[in-house]
Amino acid sequence: MPLPALGLVLVAAVLHVAWNALAKRARHSLCFLWTAQALSALLLLPFALARLGAEGLPAAALPFVAATAVLHALYFYALGRSYAAGALSLVYPVARGLGVALVPVLALVALDERPSTLGALGIGLVVVGIVALHAIAQGWERLRAGLLAGGAGTGWAVATGLTIAVYSLVDKAGVGHLHPLSYVTLMGLGVTALLWPAVRASGALAAEWAVNRRPILLAATMTLTAYLLVLFAFRLSKASYVVAAREVSIVLSAVVGSVWLKEGGLAPRALAAAVVLAGVACVALAR
């Protein structure tokens, strides 16, 4: 994996787990995510308009922009439902891990991308580590609560992971037709419009803003910014490598979930996270 792509992905991973942790602490995760996403799109809009004014909006890019807006709206909706029902350290590995597992298969079919032996090994290690993290988190939840935990959260996390796998391939192709800055801004505006009916129906938007104004503003600087870095990385490396390398964020989510969100079980999660890191290292070295 080219070093510049790896650098972009690692910075994106840090930003990604940060805004996810903030969303998990929200009173109403969907309202939190929607507001942060909307503000992020507005922050990027002047820069995107300047670029669109200079370069135009190619007709070939429109299907990809439309598709990614729908897919990301589904992603944020499912993610919000996941965090309402499950712990960060339970939901996050499932959602991210499913994407890692599916993208290489879909990329082979849709983009004719074939990972090298080392790359395939790295992807496999990431998946194994993620499965272990999920099992550890679910076991801890059961022990602590004395009941089956994570059922609804896991179901919504699986839905989130499916959207991640599909939008990753759409966006890998989409940024070949449109600059990543313009692409991610139009995506953000589309998501804002598509999710507005669900947010309005919740009746929780004003209360969420009143209570979590500062975390929302902080998350707004990270949501689309993090994914913008990933879109640039898609231009430099294979989709399966980018998606796998992003999952260094799972290591951070294990620490954040255990320490900051008091979800427990740090030591066993650290061991599983080491497997994820080994996989990311293999992907980083792969060609």
Side-chain angles (χ1 to χ4, degrees):
M1 185 177 187
L3 188 59
L6 179 61
L8 290 170
V9 167
L10 293 180
V11 174
V14 173
L15 295 175
H16 191 270
V17 76
W19 70 254
N20 272 266
L22 291 171
K24 172 56 187 171
R25 290 172 60 90
R27 291 191 173 188
H28 194 286
S29 295
L30 180 59
C31 289
F32 183 101
L33 290 167
W34 180 86
T35 309
Q37 177 85 2
L39 291 174
S40 187
L42 290 176
L43 287 171
L44 293 177
L45 184 58
F47 306 101
L49 288 175
R51 183 163 287 276
L52 287 169
E55 299 176 355
L57 178 58
L62 294 178
F64 296 99
V65 171
T68 196
V70 172
L71 288 166
H72 273 85
L74 294 173
Y75 162 75
F76 279 110
Y77 181 81
L79 186 64
R81 295 295 298 269
S82 298
Y83 285 150
L88 175 72
S89 52
L90 180 66
V91 168
Y92 198 92
V94 175
R96 307 310 307 179
L98 189 58
V100 175
L102 290 178
V103 164
V105 178
L106 298 177
L108 177 62
V109 175
L111 303 176
D112 196 30
E113 286 190 358
R114 301 173 186 272
S116 67
T117 301
L118 184 60
L121 173 63
I123 292 168
L125 286 172
V126 170
V127 172
V128 169
I130 289 168
V131 170
L133 279 168
H134 174 253
I136 291 165
Q138 190 174 49
W140 180 265
E141 283 292 301
R142 288 175 178 174
L143 178 65
R144 186 177 64 174
L147 46 81
L148 281 176
T154 300
W156 282 108
V158 169
T160 305
L162 290 172
T163 63
I164 290 170
V166 180
Y167 77 55
S168 294
L169 297 188
V170 169
D171 295 345
K172 166 69 175 177
V175 293
H177 299 283
L178 185 64
H179 189 275
L181 176 60
S182 303
Y183 189 90
V184 78
T185 305
L186 292 175
M187 178 200 84
L189 293 174
V191 169
T192 300
L194 289 169
L195 283 181
W196 170 242
V199 171
R200 181 177 58 183
S202 73
L205 183 60
E208 187 64 35
W209 175 255
V211 174
N212 283 317
R213 182 182 295 105
R214 289 183 180 178
I216 288 171
L217 291 173
L218 183 58
T221 66
M222 295 185 282
T223 52
L224 292 185
T225 303
Y227 199 58
L228 178 60
L229 298 178
V230 172
L231 293 180
F232 277 114
F234 276 143
R235 285 189 157 191
L236 302 173
S237 185
K238 295 176 180 179
S240 57
Y241 289 178
V242 171
V243 172
R246 285 184 74 189
E247 303 326 318
V248 71
S249 62
I250 290 174
V251 178
L252 299 175
S253 76
V255 176
V256 171
S258 295
V259 177
W260 190 40
L261 300 180
K262 309 299 183 184
E263 294 171 358
L266 178 59
R269 291 176 191 180
L271 292 175
V275 178
V276 176
L277 279 178
V280 172
C282 290
V283 169
L285 295 172
R287 293 291 181 266

